[in-house]
Amino acid sequence: MTRIRISLWSLIATLTALWILANATLPDAFDFITIRNLLVNYSGVIAIGAMSVAMVLATRSGRLDTWLGGLDKSYRLHKWLGITALVAAISHWIATSGPKWLAGLGLLNPPARGARPAETAMSTIESLLSGLHDAAEGIAEPGFYALVVLIVLALVKLFPYRWFAKTHKLIAIAYLVLVFHSVFMLDFAVWTQPLGLVLGVLLTAGAVSAVMALIGRVGRGRQVGGTIETLRFLPDMKVLQTIVHMDDGWKGHKSGQFSFVTFDPREGQHPFTMASAWDPHDARITFITKGLGDHTNFLPEHLKVGDRVTVEGPYGHFTFDDDNKRQIWIAGGIGITPFIARMKQLAHVEDNRPIDLFHSTKTLAPEALATLRADATAANVTLHVLIDDVDGHLTGDKVRLAVPDWKTASVWFCGPAAFGEALSKDLHAHGQPRRAFHQELFNMR
C-alpha cells in the first residue's frame, strides 16, 4: 500500500508543481473569473494526467507491476487514479460551467467580451491548434458525461462483473476524446514548458495504451489455451476444483501467482489464483473457485470435462520470497489457494524455515480438511485450522500465542481485505514492521 500512496501523491505533486511553474506569472487582479480560469486549467491537468497513467497501468505492464509489487497493487493504484480523475473532472466541469449557471440565475454579470486580439504570425502547429479549438471545446462535454458514468459503474460492486468488463473498455474511447480536448485547449505556450513536455509524454503513452485496449492487445502475448481435464465439486463448501491441461506455450508460474481465465468468451476474463505448483513435465494447472457471485456460482453447473479455456498470465508477486527466519501464512476462506500451491512446491523443494499456516474459514468439508492436512505434512508446514462458529475469528493474539517467536517471521496473508488490514494493524501495533506483512489485494475493482 505504501508504494501505491507514494505513486499517487507523487504524480499529483509533480503535476501541481509543474502547473505552478507554468503559471508563475500571476495576473494583476484575482477576480472571480481569473480564479475560475486557474481552477479550470489546474483541474484539467490533474484529470488528464491521472487518466493517462491509469490507461498505461491497464496494459498490465510487467515493469510497472514489479515496482508496485504485483498486478493486484497496480490495479489498486489504477482504481485510485480513476477516482482522482473523476473528482478532478467534475471540478473541471463545475468550474467551466459555473459562471454560465450563475449568470443564468442573475448572480453574476456575464463578463464583457473584449476586442478580438490582432492576428499575429503563427507557426503551422499553433495555427492548427487554434483552428480546432472550438471542436475540442464542443466534444469535451459528451466525453465528460461518458467518463463519469463509466467510472461510477466500475466502482459500483453491485454492477455485474461481466458488464463491468465490457463497459470499462469504453473508457478508452472517452479518454481519447478528452485527449483531443486537452491537446487543442491547452495554451500553445505551455507545450514548450516542462508541464507541456510531461503532459505530452503522458498523453502519448495513454493514447497508445487506449488503442491497445480497444483492439484487444492487452495481455495477448500471455494468453495460452487449455483443456479442462478434471472437475471436482464440494457442494457443502460451494467450492470447485478445476484441473486444466495447458497447451504448449505456457512458460510456467510461481506458487502464489494468479492468472486471468476465460471459461466462457461471453463472460470474459476472471482472475483466479493458481492452486498448483508448475511442473514443466506435467503441464497442468489447478484452479480452486468458490461460489461468491454470478460467475463462480455458474461454473459447477456449466463446465464440462473437455471444455476449452484460455489462461492469461502469470501475474502477481505473492510468491513467498523473503529472507526472514520463518514464515506465517494466513488464509481467509478461499484465500487458501496460493498456500496450497506453495505446499505442493515445498513437497519437492526443501525449505528449512519453520512455517505456520492459519486457515480461518466458515466451513471445511472433511475431505478438504484431509487433503489440506496431507499437503501440510508433505510440505513440513504446521497447520492451524479455525472454523468460525467453533474456534471464533482469527486474531493477532491467537497468532502470537501459537507462534511465540512471531516477530522473526514474515506474514503472508490472502483473504478478505478488511480481515487482512485488521491483522496488519494489530501485528504492527505489537512491533512487526509493516514491510514484513504481505497482503494480496485480490480485488480487480
Side-chain angles (χ1 to χ4, degrees), residues 209-236:
S209 300
V211 172
M212 287 178 60
L214 289 171
I215 64 176
R217 298 302 304 174
V218 174
R220 181 66 63 85
R222 293 188 175 192
Q223 294 177 359
V224 179
T227 304
I228 295 178
E229 192 172 84
T230 304
L231 293 167
R232 180 188 177 199
F233 183 53
L234 301 177
D236 292 343

Side-chain angles (χ1 to χ4, degrees), residues 49-62:
M51 279 189 284
S52 297
V53 178
M55 288 303 307
V56 172
L57 291 176
T59 63
R60 303 171 190 164
S61 167

